[in-house]
Amino acid sequence: YNQESFLLDPDTPLFTVGRLPGVTLCIDSERVSRRHARIELQGDKIVFEDTSTNGSFIQFEGKTESSRVHQRKQEIHRNAVISFGWPIDEAKAARISLEILRKSGH
C-alpha cells in the first residue's frame, strides 16, 4: 500500500487495517471501517479477519475473480491482493498485495 512494506513474523504476528490511529495501516476512506480487518500469523497459517461494515475482497494469485469476505475469517494460503470496502477492480479501492515468503531452513 503506497509503496510501503510490512512484515508478519513471530515478533510482529498481527497487522491491522482501519481508519483509527494506532492501526498498522491507516486508510482514510469512507468505505474503510475504524477497525476494518486483521491479518494474523497463527503458527504456520495466515488468517485474514474482516470486522467491517462494508467487507473486504480477496483475489488469490492465479485467479481472475475475487471473493468477498465480510464479518468472517479466511485463511490466506498463497499470494493475494486484498481490497478494503470496495471490489478490487474499483478505481477507488484501497488495495494491498500480500506476498508469502518462507524462510529457508538450515
Side-chain angles (χ1 to χ4, degrees):
Y1 183 80
N2 286 346
Q3 305 301 317
E4 291 184 72
S5 294
F6 303 90
L7 179 66
L8 281 180
D9 64 17
D11 294 330
T12 54
L14 180 63
F15 178 87
T16 55
V17 178
R19 284 186 289 123
L20 285 178
V23 296
T24 311
L25 178 60
C26 188
I27 300 173
D28 185 22
S29 167
E30 73 277 1
R31 300 278 301 182
V32 174
S33 297
R34 291 174 293 184
R35 289 187 182 93
H36 196 98
R38 303 163 45 100
I39 302 172
E40 188 169 8
L41 183 61
Q42 297 177 353
D44 61 350
K45 294 191 305 185
I46 298 170
V47 177
F48 176 83
E49 181 180 8
D50 178 271
T51 56
S52 73
T53 302
N54 294 314
S56 301
F57 295 82
I58 300 175
Q59 183 176 353
F60 289 105
E61 184 176 63
K63 300 289 183 183
T64 56
E65 294 185 14
S66 62
S67 306
R68 185 168 188 250
V69 179
H70 184 239
Q71 301 276 322
R72 66 182 175 91
K73 294 180 181 182
Q74 167 79 47
E75 187 173 339
I76 305 291
H77 46 84
R78 64 178 181 250
N79 295 350
V81 174
I82 303 171
S83 67
F84 304 98
W86 296 96
I88 286 174
D89 55 0
E90 171 62 47
K92 299 179 210 176
R95 291 177 287 276
I96 63 169
S97 296
L98 187 115
E99 184 178 357
I100 298 174
L101 305 172
R102 304 262 185 233
K103 287 186 180 181
S104 57
H106 287 71

